[in-house]
Amino acid sequence: MKNLLNVNGVSVLTKKDQKTLNGGIVLINAKYCECDCSGKVSGPKYCEQIISCSQEYNCNQ
């Protein structure tokens, strides 16, 4: 547990803070998500849930 406190941005939450916490940990890395020339999301399946592509996107422009 002490090693976690050495990570930048990590802090210990009180019980009161834990009760008001919403959301969760996101372990998804968006750097693997891109748009192809037809304007579709490419990459791992989760990319469709975290990014969107312009329908007017065209690689020839």
Side-chain angles (χ1 to χ4, degrees):
M1 177 76 170
K2 290 183 180 183
N3 289 338
L4 285 177
L5 298 178
N6 293 330
V7 176
N8 189 22
V10 173
S11 60
V12 176
L13 297 175
T14 65
K15 291 282 185 186
K16 182 179 177 183
D17 291 337
Q18 291 176 28
K19 289 179 182 179
T20 62
L21 188 63
N22 291 322
I25 298 173
V26 177
L27 299 176
I28 295 174
N29 194 339
K31 74 178 183 179
Y32 299 113
C33 305
E34 297 180 344
C35 297
D36 65 15
C37 292
S38 65
K40 293 182 180 180
V41 175
S42 62
K45 186 69 176 167
Y46 63 77
C47 291
E48 296 173 1
Q49 297 174 353
I50 63 172
I51 72 166
S52 62
C53 301
S54 169
Q55 297 302 310
E56 297 175 11
Y57 188 78
N58 188 328
C59 294
N60 295 327
Q61 293 178 342

